Amino acid sequence: MTSANRKCSAVTGSGRKIKDNTADWHNLILKWEKVNEEGFSTAAKIINIRRCQSEDQLVNKSPSFSSPATAVSAATGGAAELQDACCKLQDIVNKMVAIVTKMESLMTSQRGVQDLEEFQFGPEGRKIPLFHTWNTKQFESTSCFLLDIYSQELKLKQTILQELAHTTTSDLCMVYLSCWLHQPFIHPQTRLTLEALLLETGHRPL
C-alpha cells in the first residue's frame, strides 16, 4: 500500500465524510442504472400493449369481424394489462425520485463540509489536500454537477411516464423509449466525473 493509499484509508473528520459521501454517490448511481433498466423493459411493454390495442381496433372495425363479445373481452384485458404496466412504471419513477432525493442529501452534506472548512481555514480552505490533489470546493462542485444531471434526467423520466400510455403515434413512442434507454442528460462525462471522484478519495487505486 502506498503512502497516499494509507492516507486515504485512515482519513477522519471532513475527509471521512467526503469519502463516505463518495461511496454513497457510487452506490446511488449503480442503483439508478438498475432501476433504469427495469423502467426500459416496462416502457417497452406499455408500447407493445398500445400497439396491440391499435391493431385490435383495426380488426374490430373490419366488416368481416362479427364477435362483439370477443372484442369487449380483448379490450378489457388489454386495458387491465396496460394499467398494471403503467402502475409499475410509476413505481419505478418513484424509486428514481427517492434516489435523487438521497443525492440532494449528499449535496447538502457536502456543502456542510465546505462551510466547516471555510470556518476553520478561511475562504481559501486548507493548504494541504484531504486526499491527493482536490480541495473541498472541487468535491462540492462535483456533487453539484452530478445532482444537476440526475435531476434533469428524472424530469425527463417523469414526462415520459405522463405521456407514454397516451401517445398514439408510433414514432413518438419510439422516441420516448429511446430517450429512456439512452438517457440524454447523463452523458459520458458523468462516468468520468464519478471515476475521478472515486480515484481522488481512494476508492479506486491510482
Side-chain angles (χ1 to χ4, degrees), residues 4 14 17 20 24 26 28 32 39 45 77 85 92 146 151 196-197:
S14 294
K17 188 62 178 175
D20 289 346
D24 289 339
H26 180 247
L28 287 173
W32 175 281
K45 182 177 181 179
I92 288 168
L146 291 173
S151 295
L197 193 56

Side-chain angles (χ1 to χ4, degrees), residues 61-165:
K61 291 178 180 179
S62 172
S64 61
F65 189 83
S66 58
S67 180
T70 302
V72 171
S73 177
T76 303
E81 189 178 10
L82 181 63
Q83 181 65 31
D84 288 343
C86 289
C87 288
K88 184 176 180 181
L89 192 62
Q90 176 69 68
D91 290 341
I92 288 168
V93 172
N94 289 343
K95 290 179 183 178
M96 291 178 157
V97 171
I99 290 172
V100 171
T101 299
K102 291 178 180 178
M103 289 178 173
E104 290 171 349
S105 296
L106 290 180
M107 183 69 244
T108 300
S109 174
Q110 187 58 52
R111 282 179 177 152
V113 172
Q114 175 65 27
D115 291 343
L116 178 61
E117 291 282 298
E118 289 185 1
F119 176 77
Q120 292 177 324
F121 303 102
E124 299 302 320
R126 64 173 71 229
K127 302 299 181 184
I128 301 175
L130 284 167
F131 299 98
H132 298 294
T133 61
W134 287 15
N135 59 37
T136 312
K137 288 182 179 180
Q138 286 174 284
F139 288 107
E140 182 186 16
S141 63
T142 298
S143 295
C144 185
F145 172 76
L146 291 173
L147 176 60
D148 182 61
I149 281 173
Y150 283 92
S151 295
Q152 291 184 69
E153 188 63 36
L154 174 61
K155 290 178 182 178
L156 175 60
K157 294 293 196 288
Q158 291 170 324
T159 299
I160 294 173
L161 170 67
Q162 293 171 0
E163 300 295 333
L164 191 60

